[in-house]
Amino acid sequence: MIFTHDTTRLALLAALSLSYAGVCLAPWLRARAKRRASAAKAALADSPAWLVAYASQTGNAEELATQTAHSLQLAGIPVRLCALAEVTAIDLQQAERALFVVSTYGEGDAPDNAAAFMGRLMTGELVLPQLHYAVLALGDRSYGQFCGFGRALDAWLATQGASRLFERIEVDRSASAAIEQWFQHLSHLAGTSDAPDWSAPAFGDWHLTQRQLLNPGSAGGAIYHVELAPVAGSLPDWQSGDLVQVTAPADPSQPREYSIASIPHDGGVHLLVRQHAHPDGSLGLASGWLTAQAAVGDVVQLRLRQHRRFRLEDNAQRPLILIGNGSGIAGLRGHLKSRVLAGQRRNWLIFGERNLAHDFHYREEIERWHASGDLPRLDLAFSRDQAERMYVQDRLRGNADEVKLWLQQGAAIYVCGSLAGMAGGVDQALQEMLGRPALDALAAEGRYRRDVY
């Protein structure tokens, strides 16, 4: 064998070798991509799609139904969107969850594209014990039969044995507050979609043991770090990615869900709570209770809930790319804590907020992990710190080659934070760099997981 130190020859030889390898590998890579795309389609086909049906006379209900379907899709939930006229008895009998966005025409009449459904199905009986549903009814109070068709549809579904996901929401001439309430419920459902028949345990008594404002001086809403411990008994077990439900004394029937920002090793449940303020200055029921009204030492009603769609599970040994904004750092912090405790150091955090000076939540902890090598990759996007806005999806695009390399090495992607803006932007950026079939394949493999709200 003859060896040479001629760098030009060596470079040519390397280039020829790589070209030959590329020619050989190209068919295999194309075949693998096709197999992954097929697996993704099969997995999505096996997942029961949510039915989103609309009955629209002027287009408003159809537009809101489209937005509803898009919001669920961003949360990784398969959706079938259609006009109510297309819905059959078999569709209703096979569906587990259905959302109806319906308007009322004139004095309580069904819109034209719902009249067939009303005459074909609502005049008879249909056993629907497996169906969980919700109705967004659009109307105008100047008419005597306000939301007449929405109310009739809701009553008929309940009579057939279907269960309400939440009470009917009625909208008077596109009132924004009622529509906002609908999408708030959607955010909750997006987080609980992995457990349609979840048997909820009773709420337990927990002490509020610590509360700290994390973003004094921020241009955004106040965010508090809250710690809780059970009043009696040992600390229950949970996994990173799980959720808690908290009720406020003012309305215990409407629990609010929060991502857990800690692991049992920390000795308590940690939450990151953004204080929600209404236009009249009043605070959100649960966020106001946790951040202002309850005193340290007071008892809080709380229960834990498994969140299988956001747990580490089979991804525990994989490299992780963690992406989030705002209070979404809570769910990602839980995963990082779990990884550090297990000695898993292939972690990459991409986090965004408004300003570095005020909104870098858990900064000392994150920078310590970065310095120790437990978090070797850290990319930050503080949108208001430069003339041109910068968001996590921009950081993602700027590191496209590195993202692809991590994914080739088996990495999983976890996204936590706002459904509007961030989650859609991240999904679009990933689609641009990977292609939709490849991204769907990652989701089907459980390597693309989202906890968005």
Side-chain angles (χ1 to χ4, degrees):
M1 184 176 290
I2 299 174
F3 293 90
T4 179
H5 294 287
D6 186 330
T7 56
T8 301
R9 289 184 178 180
L10 288 173
L12 287 171
L13 179 61
L16 287 170
S17 299
L18 287 173
S19 297
Y20 178 73
V23 171
C24 295
L25 281 174
W28 178 80
L29 290 172
R30 285 194 297 269
R32 185 179 70 169
K34 288 182 180 178
R35 287 196 301 271
R36 287 185 172 181
S38 298
K41 290 180 180 178
L44 290 174
D46 291 339
S47 301
W50 287 32
L51 177 64
V52 178
Y54 58 87
S56 186
Q57 191 69 27
T58 63
N60 289 339
E62 181 176 359
E63 181 179 350
L64 284 170
T66 301
Q67 294 174 11
T68 295
H70 183 59
S71 296
L72 294 174
Q73 287 168 338
L74 285 178
I77 298 170
V79 176
R80 177 195 168 194
L81 173 66
C82 65
L84 191 60
E86 300 173 23
V87 177
T88 67
I90 294 176
D91 291 333
L92 293 179
Q93 289 173 325
Q94 292 180 345
E96 291 183 7
R97 292 197 171 191
L99 302 176
F100 299 92
V101 183
V102 299
S103 62
T104 293
Y105 180 58
E107 289 293 345
D109 297 326
D112 293 341
N113 66 351
F117 175 91
M118 190 171 186
R120 187 175 69 249
L121 296 179
M122 291 177 61
T123 54
E125 294 185 0
L126 190 64
V127 180
L128 302 172
Q130 88 298 336
L131 182 65
H132 299 72
Y133 77 96
V135 174
L136 179 66
L138 311 184
D140 185 336
R141 288 194 183 278
S142 63
Y143 288 91
Q145 298 296 321
F146 174 61
C147 291
F149 178 63
R151 292 176 179 180
L153 175 62
D154 183 24
W156 179 78
L157 289 166
T159 302
Q160 311 315 306
S163 302
R164 292 184 181 92
L165 291 163
F166 50 86
E167 292 300 314
R168 179 184 65 252
I169 294 177
E170 298 181 346
V171 183
D172 181 18
R173 290 177 291 185
S174 301
S176 58
I179 294 173
E180 180 183 352
Q181 184 183 7
W182 172 260
F183 283 100
Q184 286 176 350
H185 280 294
L186 284 188
S187 297
H188 168 77
L189 291 174
T192 58
S193 64
D194 55 345
D197 297 314
W198 174 55
S199 180
F203 283 90
D205 292 338
W206 291 63
H207 276 138
L208 175 60
T209 59
Q210 184 177 330
R211 181 171 60 211
Q212 178 186 359
L213 177 64
L214 294 187
N215 62 340
S218 174
I223 289 186
Y224 287 82
H225 170 82
V226 174
E227 296 187 11
L228 304 112
V231 171
S234 59
L235 191 70
D237 191 33
W238 71 88
Q239 295 183 27
S240 62
D242 285 347
L243 307 168
V244 297
Q245 291 185 334
V246 175
T247 65
D251 188 2
S253 66
Q254 294 292 328
R256 173 72 165 85
E257 282 196 334
Y258 296 95
S259 300
I260 304 177
S262 59
I263 56 177
H265 182 77
D266 295 314
V269 164
H270 298 180
L271 307 178
L272 195 61
V273 183
R274 186 181 294 276
Q275 191 179 76
H276 179 69
H278 298 295
D280 63 2
S282 62
L283 299 179
L285 291 177
S287 69
W289 169 244
L290 288 171
T291 63
Q293 294 148 4
V296 172
D298 279 357
V299 173
V300 173
Q301 292 288 299
L302 176 150
R303 64 185 176 195
L304 297 164
R305 191 183 78 74
Q306 295 181 4
H307 191 14
R308 299 295 302 273
R309 291 175 55 242
F310 202 65
R311 283 183 167 185
L312 292 179
E313 295 188 329
D314 294 340
N315 297 321
Q317 308 300 316
R318 295 181 181 274
L320 287 193
I321 303 174
L322 305 166
I323 306 169
N325 72 331
S327 59
I329 193 63
L332 304 182
R333 180 184 188 241
H335 283 326
L336 282 169
K337 282 178 166 288
S338 179
R339 300 275 288 180
V340 170
L341 186 65
Q344 295 289 335
R345 309 185 83 186
R346 288 297 308 281
N347 304 307
W348 180 359
L349 175 64
I350 305 175
F351 173 70
E353 250 283 11
R354 287 178 173 82
N355 300 105
L356 172 64
H358 304 291
D359 304 305
F360 192 173
H361 314 312
Y362 302 119
R363 177 174 184 171
E364 292 183 4
E365 187 174 51
I366 290 171
E367 289 182 337
R368 184 172 68 250
W369 287 332
H370 185 47
S372 68
D374 290 310
L375 179 60
R377 284 298 306 264
L378 175 62
D379 287 277
L380 303 169
F382 292 100
S383 59
R384 272 77 166 174
D385 281 353
Q386 58 280 313
E388 186 175 350
R389 296 289 172 88
M390 174 68 67
Y391 300 101
V392 292
Q393 54 264 40
D394 300 314
R395 292 295 188 201
L396 199 60
R397 288 188 178 95
N399 290 282
D401 290 341
E402 191 73 7
V403 170
K404 292 177 184 177
L405 178 61
W406 276 54
L407 290 174
Q408 288 169 8
Q409 296 170 347
I413 299 174
Y414 283 72
V415 182
C416 192
S418 60
L419 182 63
M422 187 278 294
V426 167
D427 190 75
Q428 180 62 36
L430 290 170
Q431 178 176 319
E432 290 169 7
M433 66 179 71
L434 304 174
R436 191 75 243 174
L439 191 56
D440 288 342
L442 285 175
E445 293 176 41
R447 292 172 57 198
Y448 179 34
R449 302 192 180 202
R450 290 172 283 186
D451 179 13
V452 293
Y453 43 84

